[in-house]
Amino acid sequence: MLFDPKSETKMRLSGSLSLSVSRLLLMLLMLCSSLGTSNGGAFVGVNIGTDVSNMPSASDVVALLKRQNITHVRLFDADRQMLLAMANSSIQVMVTLPNNQLLGIGQSSSSAANWVNKNVAAYLPNTNITAIAVGSEVLTTLPNAALVLVPAMKFLHAALVAANLDGQVKVTSPQATDIIVDPFPPSSAVFNSSWNRVMTPMLSFLRDSNSYLTLNVYPYYVYVQSNGIFPLDYALFRTLPANKEVVDSNTLLHYTNVFDSLIDAAYFSMAFMNFTDISVVVTESGWPSMGGPSETDATVENAETYNSNLVAHVLNNTGTPKHPGIAVNTYIYELFNEDLRPGATSEKNWGLFSANSTPVYSLTGTVSILANDTTGESFCVAISGTDTKLLQAALDWSCGSGGADCQAIQVGGSCYEPNTVADHASYAFNTYYHKMGMQTGACSFNGVAMVTPTDPSHDSCNFTGSLKLGLA
């Protein structure tokens, strides 16, 4: 039914992240204590790009990260000021060896050792550097350097071993999903055979060094280039009726979104090459909030929807149909809108924030701890536009087996009006969510609900957790 994703030839040489929302970050906080969660749990981090006029200082950037409880970031270089500013914080950092330095490192072990000493060892342990990204989409954007990619990775790893840092810092190399041929159905996907001479030793290295495959996953581009083969909802993680889900005819696995399909395509591609024990980390994913006249799907609404649902999907430890429950840690592209980036209007508008740290939009259902979000309130509500039958089933479960107190939405109850499935479901979902202590996963209901800091209470109807409770 779908994919031949053709990602745009964009060199992301200066880091980025793409969501800007007080609510998105807030949901993150509630779901996992922070954007970057936890021991063994899934995390959502951000990319930090610097093609920004009036780029905030490193200390201001770190202050913003801390306010948002973002604990995982990816830099597109190893900027000294940024790394120093992140010292003695809880932020875990992936630094990058830029593409323009790849050739020198890939041909010289001593150059690799010097790079590690200067850009990694010099900052540890005060700055928590956990990974080195070797280049960015090298196979598809800089193919002439492909043959030095794995040597560069091995040289850098050897330098880490020599410095006794290989247990702390992993080495990987983010690639575009374009390296996968015909990613749907996922079970038939394979890596482009022209890159076997690179992929085979790379995967061997990742397995042997206990690292992970990193991919830049952009359902936005897949959708735009699909010519209407699949609905927009499939790209945005919106709930689909069962008869609209995409089924892999070989495995009978059901796919409800493009993101999972691309991740599983990578897993099947690795399995085809007999690598079955390497995890996937998504180093870039997001949706642009603005585009030019021909970029009609780059809107604030779509960006808010995609990023909100992406965060919920990752942090709920949903996994993928092939590997349910296995975390797919993800970095959102990107923190700031990069107004200096060349190219189409959309290329400049992937950020969660403008350069003055103002949110580009408020992500529904996500949790941002922006300065203006001071109430600490958190609610679980139905996702707008969800199929009524799916909502009704979740509502029935909440008020039945889930044990939610649904008396207020019975006839004559304080929250009976508006008498709609969506409104009643929101009340029941929120009651259950608070009954479960707002714990991670308590606001999912098979993907039809989301967390929001916006109090849905109205008139005489007060939702559990509202600061309006008890007030006249």
Side-chain angles (χ1 to χ4, degrees):
M1 173 180 179
L2 66 160
F3 305 113
D4 182 13
K6 303 285 192 296
S7 67
E8 304 224 339
T9 53
K10 37 184 187 237
M11 300 281 290
R12 297 192 165 92
L13 297 179
S14 66
S16 356
L17 146 95
S18 71
L19 291 160
S20 80
V21 313
S22 54
R23 294 182 186 171
L24 167 59
L25 296 176
L26 179 59
M27 175 174 89
L28 290 177
L29 181 67
M30 296 176 174
L31 287 175
C32 64
S33 304
S34 70
L35 263 182
T37 184
S38 80
N39 300 320
F43 70 76
V44 176
V46 300
N47 289 273
I48 303 177
T50 56
D51 286 340
V52 180
S53 57
N54 301 315
M55 178 70 188
S57 68
S59 59
D60 286 343
V61 172
V62 173
L64 174 63
L65 296 173
K66 289 180 177 179
R67 288 199 301 273
Q68 304 302 330
N69 287 281
I70 297 172
T71 59
H72 291 74
V73 302
R74 175 185 173 219
L75 306 180
F76 285 79
D77 49 26
D79 182 76
R80 174 175 172 78
Q81 294 305 315
M82 193 69 73
L83 291 173
L84 288 174
M86 291 183 187
N88 303 311
S89 71
S90 61
I91 299 171
Q92 297 186 32
V93 186
M94 177 185 290
V95 297
T96 296
L97 172 76
N99 286 358
N100 60 8
Q101 298 179 30
L102 180 61
L103 188 62
I105 300 299
Q107 295 179 324
S108 169
S109 59
S110 61
S111 294
N114 290 336
W115 195 94
V116 167
N117 288 334
K118 177 182 177 182
N119 297 291
V120 178
Y123 301 100
L124 288 168
N126 292 338
T127 300
N128 190 10
I129 299 173
T130 58
I132 300 172
V134 182
S136 178
E137 302 186 350
V138 172
L139 297 184
T140 51
T141 64
L142 197 64
N144 291 338
L147 293 182
V148 299
L149 176 58
V150 176
M153 296 172 72
K154 290 182 175 179
F155 284 153
L156 290 168
H157 181 257
L160 292 170
V161 171
N164 198 29
L165 296 175
D166 55 304
Q168 158 85 17
V169 183
K170 300 301 179 183
V171 177
T172 185
S173 181
Q175 301 300 325
T177 52
D178 285 2
I179 64 173
I180 302 171
V181 177
D182 296 329
F184 196 84
S187 61
S188 297
V190 294
F191 293 122
N192 189 323
S193 60
S194 65
W195 294 120
N196 282 356
R197 66 192 187 281
V198 177
M199 290 304 300
T200 299
M202 178 192 292
L203 293 173
S204 295
F205 167 79
L206 295 176
R207 180 192 59 200
D208 295 344
S209 62
N210 196 29
S211 188
Y212 37 81
L213 177 68
T214 41
L215 290 174
N216 297 340
V217 178
Y218 284 99
Y220 169 75
Y221 289 120
V222 176
Y223 173 73
V224 167
Q225 295 156 19
S226 71
N227 296 318
I229 292 176
F230 60 87
L232 177 62
D233 287 351
Y234 190 57
L236 295 175
F237 292 95
R238 285 182 176 144
T239 303
L240 298 173
N243 63 348
K244 297 294 184 181
E245 294 177 357
V246 178
V247 180
D248 186 321
S249 59
N250 299 318
T251 62
L252 299 184
L253 293 173
H254 287 236
Y255 288 88
T256 60
N257 60 79
V258 175
F259 183 88
D260 282 354
S261 183
L262 291 173
I263 300 302
D264 274 0
Y267 278 125
F268 278 109
S269 296
M270 287 193 286
F272 183 79
M273 300 178 71
N274 296 317
F275 293 95
T276 59
D277 51 358
I278 300 172
S279 61
V280 174
V281 170
V282 174
T283 33
E284 296 178 24
S285 193
W287 198 283
S289 61
M290 182 185 297
S294 63
E295 300 175 302
T296 57
D297 298 297
T299 67
V300 167
E301 179 183 3
N302 287 345
E304 176 183 357
T305 298
Y306 178 82
N307 285 320
S308 297
N309 290 340
L310 171 65
V311 170
H313 187 69
V314 172
L315 294 184
N316 281 341
N317 285 307
T318 305
T320 66
K322 179 173 172 57
H323 292 301
I326 303 300
V328 182
N329 296 325
T330 299
Y331 294 82
I332 291 171
Y333 185 86
E334 59 184 335
L335 188 59
F336 298 113
N337 277 339
E338 294 189 274
D339 60 311
L340 299 181
R341 285 188 61 81
T345 301
S346 62
E347 283 298 298
K348 309 172 191 294
N349 289 281
W350 290 81
L352 298 174
F353 297 88
S354 59
N356 65 2
S357 298
T358 300
V360 173
Y361 50 89
S362 294
L363 283 181
T364 305
T366 55
V367 186
S368 143
I369 305 306
L370 293 178
N372 61 347
D373 287 329
T374 58
T375 65
E377 297 176 277
S378 173
F379 305 91
C380 178
V381 298
I383 295 175
S384 177
T386 299
D387 183 86
T388 300
K389 292 181 180 179
L390 297 175
L391 282 179
Q392 185 67 60
L395 169 60
D396 292 343
W397 182 91
S398 301
C399 296
S401 300
D405 182 355
C406 296
Q407 183 176 353
I409 56 176
Q410 303 303 312
V411 176
S414 60
C415 296
Y416 178 72
E417 297 292 346
N419 181 20
T420 69
V421 173
D423 284 284
H424 287 186
S426 289
Y427 183 88
F429 293 168
N430 184 69
T431 302
Y432 176 82
Y433 174 61
H434 282 269
K435 173 177 175 283
M436 299 302 293
M438 300 185 294
Q439 62 183 274
T440 300
C443 182
S444 174
F445 301 97
N446 291 323
V448 302
M450 65 189 185
V451 176
T452 176
T454 302
D455 188 348
S457 301
H458 57 88
D459 302 323
S460 62
C461 175
N462 285 320
F463 275 53
T464 303
S466 172
L467 296 182
K468 299 175 184 176
L469 284 173
L471 300 181

